[in-house]
């Protein structure tokens, strides 16, 4: 084969670096997140690169949790100067005990090509108890919490507004039933809402959180 017939070299596209999570901590097993560090936060912050992306490119965060979540698409140039994106706290709570790949996609404004970054693998530290999601039927949330008798329970439902129930005590071998405010249920009819519960027990100094039920009312 002559020199002018040589196969041209393929120049690889530079990989998009993985995002970072400012509140994560490093360990020998990789990046981890302690839920106590976002205990009162409404969102988990994901940090994007601050350069190398065109202002007109469209960007979305991918959170590969128990239920995958993608942030609403936004133009890179419309993000705050610190180039941070918020992941709802509910998505983090739903993935307690799991290792979650966190990445982002970019749709190039000039070519229309969609590219995905490398992933940051984030392990959400487990709690003292594994708390499965509740169930829901006809306005009532049923909780079977594997918590000691005398522990305190409450339910939170998120729809067009946040509904917090009154507290109940755990009784061994009996489910806890929470009747949601019928006005709230009516306002959210036809909408997918997120429902979970929290437990205060002698096993932990903080409330523990269950996985999240997503249900259309």
């Amino acid at each position: 084969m002559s020199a002018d017939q040589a196969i041209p070299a393929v120049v690889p596209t530079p990989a998009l670096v993985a995002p970072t999570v400012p509140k994560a901590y490093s360990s020998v097993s990789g990046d981890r997140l302690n839920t106590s560090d976002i205990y009162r936060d409404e969102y988990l912050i994901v940090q994007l690169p601050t350069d190398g992306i065109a202002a007109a490119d469209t960007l979305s965060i991918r959170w590969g949790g128990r239920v995958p979540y993608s942030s609403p698409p936004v133009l890179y140039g419309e993000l705050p100067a610190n180039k941070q994106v918020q992941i709802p706290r509910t998505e983090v709570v739903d993935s307690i005990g799991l290792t979650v790949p966190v990445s982002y996609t970019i749709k190039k404004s000039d070519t229309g090509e969609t590219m995905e970054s490398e992933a940051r693998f984030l392990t959400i530290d487990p709690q003292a108890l594994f708390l499965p999601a509740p169930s829901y039927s006809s306005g009532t949330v049923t909780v079977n919490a594997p918590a000691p008798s005398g522990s305190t329970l409450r339910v939170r439902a998120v729809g067009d507004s946040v509904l917090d129930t009154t507290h109940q005590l755990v009784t061994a071998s009996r489910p806890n039933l929470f009747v949601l405010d019928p006005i709230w249920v009516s306002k959210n009819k036809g909408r997918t809402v997120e429902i979970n519960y929290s437990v205060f027990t002698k096993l932990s100094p903080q409330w523990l959180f269950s996985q999240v039920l997503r249900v259309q009312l």
Side-chain angles (χ1 to χ4, degrees):
M1 179 181 294
S2 64
D4 60 350
Q5 294 176 316
I7 298 174
V10 176
V11 180
T13 301
L16 295 172
V17 298
T20 59
V21 178
K23 286 208 169 182
Y25 69 94
S26 297
S27 71
V28 293
S29 60
D31 291 342
R32 305 185 69 93
L33 180 71
N34 192 319
T35 52
S36 64
D37 292 333
I38 61 164
Y39 189 72
R40 300 190 184 281
D41 297 348
E42 293 186 23
Y43 300 95
L44 175 69
I45 297 298
V46 175
Q47 177 68 59
L48 297 167
T50 55
D51 55 23
I53 302 175
D57 290 347
T58 302
L59 183 143
S60 175
I61 295 290
R62 286 189 174 181
W63 173 268
R66 190 176 75 90
V67 175
Y69 168 84
S70 294
S71 66
V74 62
L75 294 179
Y76 184 75
E78 294 180 354
L79 289 172
N82 58 15
K83 304 307 179 187
Q84 293 181 342
V85 177
Q86 298 174 332
I87 299 297
R89 180 173 176 272
T90 304
E91 304 300 332
V92 181
V93 165
D94 197 32
S95 298
I96 289 174
L98 302 180
T99 297
V100 177
V102 186
S103 62
Y104 56 92
T105 59
I106 293 176
K107 184 175 182 180
K108 302 296 292 181
S109 57
D110 51 355
T111 65
E113 177 187 10
T114 298
M115 306 167 62
E116 183 167 3
S117 75
E118 296 178 344
R120 173 80 54 188
F121 290 91
L122 179 67
T123 299
I124 316 299
D125 288 346
Q127 304 177 124
L129 290 173
F130 169 72
L131 301 175
S135 60
Y136 173 86
S137 179
S138 303
T140 299
V141 177
T142 301
V143 175
N144 289 283
S149 292
S151 300
T152 303
L153 287 176
R154 64 187 179 194
V155 164
R156 169 167 287 192
V158 180
D160 72 330
S161 61
V162 176
L163 174 67
D164 288 318
T165 67
T166 56
H167 296 175
Q168 293 185 18
L169 296 180
V170 174
T171 301
S173 303
R174 287 178 53 187
N176 288 81
L177 305 179
F178 294 83
V179 178
L180 300 184
D181 179 358
I183 296 177
W184 186 91
V185 172
S186 177
K187 286 182 177 179
N188 286 279
K189 187 173 180 60
R191 179 181 187 140
T192 297
V193 301
E194 298 174 331
I195 303 173
N196 76 324
Y197 59 93
S198 52
V199 178
F200 192 78
T201 167
K202 60 186 178 182
L203 300 176
S204 172
Q206 296 180 328
W207 288 84
L208 306 178
F209 304 105
S210 80
Q211 293 180 331
V212 179
L213 172 69
R214 296 163 177 83
V215 62
Q216 184 174 1
L217 300 186

